[in-house]
Amino acid sequence: MGFARTCSVALVGVEGVVVEVQADLEPGVAAFTLVGLPDKSLTESRDRVRAAVVNSGAEWPQKKLTVGLSPASVPKGGSGFDLAVACAVLGAAERIDPRVLTDIVMIGELGLDGRVRPVRGVLPAVLAAADAGYEQVVVPECTAAEASLVPGVSVLGVRSLRQLIAVLTDEPVPMEEPDETGRPDPMLAGLCVPGTGVGAGLGVGGALDDAHTLDLSDVVGQMSARTAVEVAAAGAHHLFLQGPPGAGKTMLAERLPAILPRLSREDSLEVTAVHSVAGMLPPGKPLVDVAPYCAPHHSATMQSLVGGGQGLARPGAVSLAHRGVLFLDEAPEFSSQALDSLRQPLESGHVVIARSAGVVRLPAKFLMVLAANPCPCGRHTLLGDGCECPSSVIRRYQARLSGPLLDRVDLKVEVEAVTRSELAGYGTRGESTRTVADRVRAARERAAARLSGTGWRTNSEVPGHTLRTRWPAAPGALDAAELDLERGFLTARGLDRVLRVAWTVADLAGHDRPSAQDVALALQLRTGISRGVPMVIEPIGVPR
């Protein structure tokens, strides 16, 4: 009787569970049994592994073979277990020393010819292996760079099962024939999900040094909306842009990711793990270091927004926008069920999805931007009598965005139509993305220094009670906001959010604490009602 074991990783959402792959050979009629709660794609690995072992020059054992995946209570799926199953079988057949396999984690799919194909979710799988104390990982060669992002782990990238057998048995490593030049690498097909390419509304925000980055200077006019976008980026505040079609709402939202600071190393690993599981990690770029951008169509279902699918839930749009921007264009056209499902992740920063196969917790800390027309035809606020929508239709259209959802939005701005002089270039052009990004980065550094040691990094994360008691505003600065609370214009949550926005305005202006003018501007941005202050933030000593 032969026995061998090695390890692989099962992904539950974006978290991994180390699975021990055991192979047992006994005398009897040749058979291959796979146990341990596998799904359909994992059950099919029996045929893939057998063909890969034979075509790699090894002998398939003609005995009763049982492969167990432990713990058996964890659902397992995907083709990433193929490599571990093949090596466990060869270890039980004594083709490989079983002692060598014990402390190695193997991740990869096998082709029938023995080639090792990449799978999605390599980064979270290697992170789980490192957390469990494993120091050696074997992955497909084309995902070795992604796996190497995890510190303290020795990564071996292999192109074929023959190469891995040679490495584990100290034999000469065979050279694999290179793929034909000038053709796409077929091995990369397993990394991407069809439909997540260009035009799918999913991707990563452009870096500042990218020649094709969308620049804020392209936006004509809209000084109030530009100020709101800057405040939103500096404090990670949610933003609602309302105005007629063609005013520039989508242009502003598309340029928001570029003024956000680059992701820290920790945040980059979080975002990369989500994109790797979702099959959106660009080949050749293993680490996502800029803010992602996700703009789903208004026909998106609740499951596509928060996550779902058959079996264990997969990341939705809110998770793909983690540490980045989620843009909902034509927000009233989304279903009310889909919009209201955003309430919980907006508050908690994560999504918990319960299914019959298990419970999945997905990260969802994003900056939400809503864009809407004032009415179905979009001409309600234009000068003249251009709107033909009945008042009841307008009320019903605007009521599609529920009060509880809008109460979680910090900034509400009316985007005016662009005038002829602005469009012709007679007015002053707006600032560039690089200029605004520098101010945003400086404001975030001020906030981070003030919040050092608290676990919070941006003003939008700080509870209102802590802001009022630990970092109070200037004396009398909150009088106007408290009066609005008494009159019912603000809720208690709304007052807290006004204070958070006021701190962001103060950070952008370089003030030690919010003044009455900072709070007035925050109220103006929060309610959309003019408070008699200009919609421009003047940094101390740096006039615009």
Side-chain angles (χ1 to χ4, degrees), residues 67-428:
V67 174
L69 308 175
S70 179
S73 59
V74 177
K76 305 166 191 72
S79 56
F81 292 87
D82 289 3
L83 200 58
V85 171
C87 288
V89 172
L90 293 174
E94 299 183 351
R95 176 64 177 87
I96 302 174
D97 187 353
R99 293 172 297 180
V100 177
L101 303 173
T102 304
D103 296 324
I104 301 179
V105 175
M106 301 184 181
I107 305 163
E109 176 186 335
L110 285 175
L112 299 184
D113 56 355
R115 288 183 301 169
V116 180
R117 302 181 61 88
V119 293
R120 300 189 296 271
V122 167
L123 178 59
V126 177
L127 285 170
D131 292 340
Y134 291 88
E135 299 179 352
Q136 293 182 314
V137 177
V138 178
V139 298
E141 186 181 56
C142 51
T143 59
E146 180 183 347
S148 300
L149 297 173
V150 182
V153 177
S154 175
V155 177
L156 172 62
V158 294
R159 291 186 60 87
S160 67
L161 181 60
R162 289 195 309 156
Q163 287 185 340
L164 180 57
I165 295 173
V167 170
L168 296 177
T169 57
D170 293 329
E171 298 175 358
V173 179
M175 295 298 296
E176 297 292 339
E177 296 182 2
D179 295 323
E180 297 182 23
T181 58
R183 298 179 60 185
D185 188 354
M187 301 292 286
L188 300 178
L191 294 178
C192 298
V193 175
T196 58
V198 177
L202 306 171
V204 176
L208 292 179
D209 54 357
D210 188 349
H212 302 287
T213 298
L214 303 174
D215 200 283
L216 266 176
S217 61
D218 300 332
V219 180
V220 178
Q222 307 302 350
M223 299 308 297
S224 298
R226 290 170 61 94
T227 299
V229 168
E230 183 176 344
V231 172
H237 303 290
H238 305 304
L239 175 62
F240 178 36
L241 300 172
Q242 186 177 36
K249 302 186 294 295
T250 303
M251 291 182 68
L252 288 165
E254 290 175 343
R255 284 152 181 78
L256 177 56
I259 66 175
L260 292 174
R262 283 188 176 272
L263 301 178
S264 64
R265 177 73 176 185
E266 180 183 357
D267 293 345
S268 294
L269 290 178
E270 289 180 3
V271 174
T272 303
V274 175
H275 284 232
S276 178
V277 170
M280 286 186 52
L281 200 60
K285 186 176 181 181
L287 183 67
V288 178
D289 59 353
V290 293
Y293 174 80
C294 186
H297 191 260
H298 58 74
S299 62
T301 62
M302 181 185 70
Q303 289 76 15
S304 67
L305 285 181
V306 301
Q310 295 182 349
L312 290 174
R314 300 186 64 82
V318 296
S319 296
L320 296 175
H322 180 59
R323 302 293 180 186
V325 177
L326 176 67
F327 177 47
L328 302 183
D329 198 7
E330 305 293 345
E333 300 296 340
F334 283 80
S335 68
S336 58
Q337 184 184 31
L339 290 175
D340 290 337
S341 67
L342 300 176
R343 297 186 196 176
Q344 186 255 345
L346 286 174
E347 289 290 332
S348 63
H350 62 266
V351 177
V352 178
I353 304 173
R355 294 289 187 270
S356 59
V359 179
V360 174
R361 185 179 187 271
L362 300 170
K365 197 168 198 61
F366 56 90
L367 194 164
M368 181 179 69
V369 179
L370 301 174
N373 296 326
C375 66
C377 75
R379 299 189 296 270
H380 178 56
T381 56
L382 293 181
L383 297 177
D385 191 17
C387 178
E388 299 179 354
C389 301
S391 57
S392 59
V393 174
I394 297 175
R395 287 195 303 268
R396 189 159 52 247
Y397 181 81
Q398 296 177 349
R400 293 179 183 177
L401 299 178
S402 65
L405 176 64
L406 292 180
D407 199 36
R408 290 166 168 81
V409 178
D410 300 339
L411 312 172
K412 302 179 181 68
V413 180
E414 191 76 26
V415 181
E416 301 292 341
V418 181
T419 63
R420 178 182 177 183
S421 61
E422 290 173 334
L423 194 60
Y426 301 141
T428 304

Side-chain angles (χ1 to χ4, degrees), residues 467-494:
L467 283 179
R468 290 191 297 270
T469 56
R470 186 170 178 179
W471 297 291
L478 289 175
D479 290 347
E482 292 172 350
L483 184 60
D484 280 4
L485 178 65
E486 293 179 357
R487 293 174 175 174
F489 297 152
L490 283 178
T491 63
R493 181 194 284 123

Side-chain angles (χ1 to χ4, degrees), residues 473-478 502 506 511 513-521:
L478 289 175
H511 299 160
R513 55 180 176 173
S515 62
Q517 186 171 3
D518 295 335
V519 175
L521 180 55

